[in-house]
Amino acid sequence: MSAAITNGAPRIVVGVDGSPSSRAALRWAVRQANLTNGTVDAVMAWEIPIVLQSYAMVPIYVEPDDSFDENARKSIEAVISEEVEPADSQRVRSLAINGHPARVLLDNAAGADLLVVGSRGHGEFAEALLGSVSQNCVHHASCPVLIMRGERGRAA
């Protein structure tokens, strides 16, 4: 919901994958939420790795279980506990969602006041200036998008 719908309290959606730039994005989003009395939806997307989905041209059946979702939930909670001060944690809601990261972020940012993403995550092209997920978000988000770079001198 946008600030207009939530009585002026902005909703910030932030993509979290554990990379230095996503950690910086989370810290920034929480600081902004504190300044504006807003809330933060910290979103981690997960997918079954391609190597488990197929080998050459033959699909491999993957037994449906909750381990991927559980691992994503544990990962995002760990990042939040490492990056967010305990006093600020009530502003943050963690979400672990199955799907392509760009689609998951765009869907969750619908109606938000701001989407914050890292400049590049743990994708295949880590050297790229702007990652494919952040680039997709910039082009397709229905709200403003802020792209954070990892902070120099700060360990992940």
Side-chain angles (χ1 to χ4, degrees):
M1 294 185 173
S2 71
I5 298 171
T6 59
N7 297 327
R11 183 172 70 93
I12 302 169
V13 174
V14 60
V16 178
D17 68 1
S19 65
S21 61
S22 79
R23 288 170 178 266
L26 176 62
R27 291 188 301 270
W28 188 93
V30 171
R31 285 192 304 268
Q32 185 66 19
N34 277 328
L35 291 172
T36 60
N37 198 30
T39 61
V40 174
D41 285 347
V43 179
M44 179 175 278
W46 62 272
E47 292 182 293
I48 296 174
I50 291 173
V51 72
L52 295 179
Q53 293 178 8
S54 66
Y55 180 75
M57 298 301 231
V58 180
I60 296 174
Y61 177 74
V62 177
E63 185 69 32
D65 65 22
D66 295 330
S67 63
F68 290 106
D69 186 57
E70 183 179 331
N71 287 339
R73 288 183 193 287
K74 287 179 182 176
S75 294
I76 194 166
E77 290 297 332
V79 171
I80 291 169
S81 70
E82 292 167 9
E83 301 297 338
V84 177
E85 296 295 326
D88 297 331
S89 63
Q90 79 279 357
R91 292 194 183 278
V92 181
R93 176 174 70 147
S94 67
L95 302 166
I97 300 170
N98 180 9
H100 185 273
R103 176 58 22 214
V104 167
L105 289 171
L106 290 169
D107 288 348
N108 280 276
D113 295 285
L114 181 64
L115 172 60
V116 185
V117 295
S119 59
R120 56 177 191 231
H122 290 303
E124 297 174 24
F125 304 103
E127 309 82 36
L129 181 61
L130 186 64
S132 61
V133 171
S134 55
Q135 188 171 22
N136 199 319
C137 289
V138 165
H139 289 289
H140 300 289
S142 59
C143 65
V145 178
L146 174 73
I147 300 175
M148 291 291 298
R149 294 182 62 176
E151 296 176 18
R152 291 184 183 186
R154 177 155 181 152

